[in-house]
Amino acid sequence: MSDTEVAARLLAEGEVEIIAEWLRLQETEGGGGSGRISSAELRVQCDRFLALLRRGLNQGAETAQDAAFAELRDMLRDLSRSRAIQGFTPTETASFIFSLKEVTFRLLQKDVGAAWALNRLLDAFGLYTFESYQRAREEVIARQQREITELSTPVVKLWDSVLALPLIGTLDSERTQVVMENLLQNIVDLNAEIAIIDITGVPTVDTLVAQHLLKTIAAARLMGADCIISGIRPQIAQTMVHLGVDLNVVTKASLADAFALALRRVGQSVTRVVPAARAGA
Amino acid sequence: MNRIPILRLGKALLVTIQVDMHDELALALEQDLTQKIWATGARGVLIDISALEVVDSFIGRMLHAIASVSRVLDAETVVVGMRPAVAITLVELGLELPGIRTALDVERGMTLLSRRDEEAEGDVERR
């Protein structure tokens, strides 16, 4: 009988005991995530893990990558993912596996070979849990980054055929692409003649950012819309001149100035309304 | 070989590109258009590319060539209705079409041309 089969047999014999002890350990060590997961749910997860582990061991699987453990790996991946999203700490997530080691070690003392085989497997599964946890967290970060990109590039309609694009945050190539596509699509949808790009919220303008801006402006021009840049802060103006960046487009100090110019270009004007009483006096 | 029709609209010529441009068609258009400007004495050329989904550097160069030839014959070229994706592609290709006027749609393009015509007539009157 091989080590893994011995381990499987021993696990099967002491199953009730193992589950009880394992659950108790998780409760005390915080593996239960301090009430974020119900003990019934935890119990289901433990039962399932043990059953899948035994099945793999019975098939003679010696490493965690073995095909016999595919279902077990899937289960662990889902478990870590849901725990990562629920806000478990990495330790709490990994202790799901590591607390089992303590329990089984006591039980498998009778057979050193089986204990060692199981120990190695559980270590590997613990690491796998950790990796899945981290991957899930990274996915969350990537999603948030995407959302920020989308959120921070609104295109605002200021007047008939006048658009504003208030840029906030640093412009990198990826964001420029989103900004550009967004702006151009809006120019088509809203039938705009003039787009005001306000860079008050852009912390730094280096040659790369300037180049991105120029690309956007060139693309808008190809579609028949003019661009005005507004909100260049004094330090940025200085940096741009020292860097030798020449935007070669109409620039205005503030969004208000740019808007006034845009209105003039589309043949509109803003006038002060004189109240009738005062006009008569 | 099919050709792209060139319509006369007052003092302007209207070219609507509704099929995918292949290189021969583009060359034929350039020739036909030059001939037509010369024959009609048109003052402006409107090229509507709102149906064009794919551009390459050749089409970009062709547009540029048409504009240059038209300018020599005293007609202004306005490219209208370029799609966002096309605009981005041209910019990425480094073809920013300097010297070509652009407008969002045919109507705006016509306005642009007629405004230029009025200015030109004003010049003559002032003289």
Side-chain angles (χ1 to χ4, degrees):
Chain A
M1 201 181 247
S2 74
D3 287 343
T4 53
E5 279 163 347
V6 173
R9 189 171 50 80
L10 289 172
L11 284 178
E13 281 168 7
E15 186 173 4
V16 183
E17 208 180 316
I18 290 174
I19 296 267
E21 183 66 10
W22 189 14
L23 281 171
R24 195 188 59 74
L25 267 177
Q26 288 191 61
E27 297 284 325
T28 51
E29 284 178 5
S34 32
R36 268 184 290 250
I37 186 167
S38 72
S39 50
E41 198 180 337
L42 192 60
R43 206 196 153 89
V44 171
Q45 288 174 347
C46 292
D47 279 342
R48 187 161 156 70
F49 179 82
L50 219 53
L52 287 173
L53 181 65
R54 279 216 320 271
R55 193 196 300 168
L57 287 171
N58 273 326
Q59 286 172 19
E62 282 176 352
T63 61
Q65 280 76 41
D66 200 291
F69 282 131
E71 208 175 328
L72 183 64
R73 284 199 301 272
D74 285 349
M75 180 224 158
L76 280 178
R77 203 181 52 228
D78 293 345
L79 182 129
S80 334
R81 178 159 309 191
S82 68
R83 288 191 174 198
I85 290 165
Q86 280 168 337
F88 279 68
T89 65
T91 314
E92 283 169 348
T93 308
S95 73
F96 175 75
I97 301 290
F98 289 125
S99 54
L100 179 63
K101 264 173 79 173
E102 194 178 329
V103 186
T104 52
F105 192 68
R106 246 177 273 155
L107 195 87
L108 295 179
Q109 267 170 345
K110 296 162 229 165
D111 189 317
V112 180
W116 177 240
L118 188 66
N119 197 28
R120 264 205 347 231
L121 270 176
L122 287 180
D123 278 347
F125 283 129
L127 288 175
Y128 185 78
T129 318
F130 218 90
E131 262 176 39
S132 312
Y133 176 88
Q134 198 189 358
R135 208 169 300 137
R137 290 295 279 259
E138 275 164 10
E139 276 169 23
V140 171
I141 293 172
R143 202 195 62 227
Q144 282 172 344
Q145 232 165 11
R146 254 195 329 271
E147 279 168 6
I148 290 172
T149 312
E150 280 165 22
L151 275 180
S152 56
T153 54
V155 178
V156 195
K157 180 179 176 177
L158 288 184
W159 204 264
D160 273 348
S161 60
V162 180
L163 288 183
L165 176 74
L167 287 179
I168 294 164
T170 314
L171 278 180
D172 53 23
S173 326
E174 202 178 314
R175 266 197 74 195
T176 312
Q177 194 68 24
V178 177
V179 168
M180 201 196 274
E181 281 169 17
N182 214 348
L183 177 69
L184 297 187
Q185 194 53 50
N186 272 286
I187 287 176
V188 177
D189 294 346
L190 300 173
N191 217 349
E193 254 175 64
I194 296 179
I196 301 172
I197 303 179
D198 185 77
I199 58 167
T200 314
V202 179
T204 49
V205 175
D206 53 16
T207 43
L208 203 64
V209 173
Q211 203 196 341
H212 289 323
L213 277 176
L214 284 177
K215 270 188 185 174
T216 311
I217 293 164
R221 195 193 72 84
L222 280 178
M223 292 181 51
D226 275 334
C227 286
I228 303 173
I229 292 190
S230 72
I232 300 181
R233 280 180 282 129
Q235 303 97 307
I236 290 184
Q238 273 181 328
T239 326
M240 281 167 71
V241 170
H242 287 312
L243 284 174
V245 173
D246 190 1
L247 284 180
N248 233 337
V249 281
V250 183
T251 52
K252 287 279 165 192
S254 67
L255 185 60
D257 293 340
F259 185 43
L261 175 67
L263 282 182
R264 216 161 39 241
R265 284 217 191 142
V266 296
Q268 311 263 351
S269 71
V270 182
T271 53
R272 184 186 298 276
V273 177
V274 184
R278 206 182 298 166
Chain B
M1 194 180 81
N2 48 353
R3 300 207 158 206
I4 293 172
I6 301 169
L7 311 175
R8 192 172 166 179
L9 267 177
K11 284 182 181 174
L13 297 178
L14 174 63
V15 183
T16 307
I17 298 173
Q18 282 173 339
V19 290
D20 271 339
M21 290 285 273
H22 51 81
D23 297 358
E24 272 176 52
L25 197 59
L27 287 173
L29 175 66
E30 190 185 326
Q31 241 171 37
D32 288 355
L33 200 57
T34 317
Q35 191 66 33
K36 198 96 170 188
I37 295 170
W38 179 78
T40 59
R43 302 295 313 275
V45 177
L46 279 173
I47 306 180
D48 178 15
I49 57 168
S50 54
L52 200 65
E53 286 179 29
V54 183
V55 282
D56 54 17
S57 54
F58 186 82
I59 304 292
R61 272 224 317 277
M62 188 259 329
L63 286 175
H64 195 257
I66 289 181
S68 306
V69 172
S70 309
R71 203 172 307 121
V72 172
L73 297 171
D74 193 26
E76 185 158 28
T77 308
V78 183
V79 172
V80 301
M82 190 183 292
R83 292 177 178 225
V86 171
I88 292 174
T89 311
L90 282 181
V91 170
E92 294 294 341
L93 286 173
L95 291 164
E96 296 175 7
L97 307 183
I100 299 188
R101 306 290 296 264
T102 49
L104 211 57
D105 49 32
V106 175
E107 199 183 341
R108 290 227 166 109
M110 281 304 277
T111 321
L112 204 71
L113 283 179
S114 57
R115 205 183 297 157
R116 175 180 174 264
D117 258 6
E118 280 163 21
E119 281 168 15
E121 276 167 23
D123 282 349
V124 174
E125 277 166 25
R126 265 198 297 275
R127 273 180 220 151

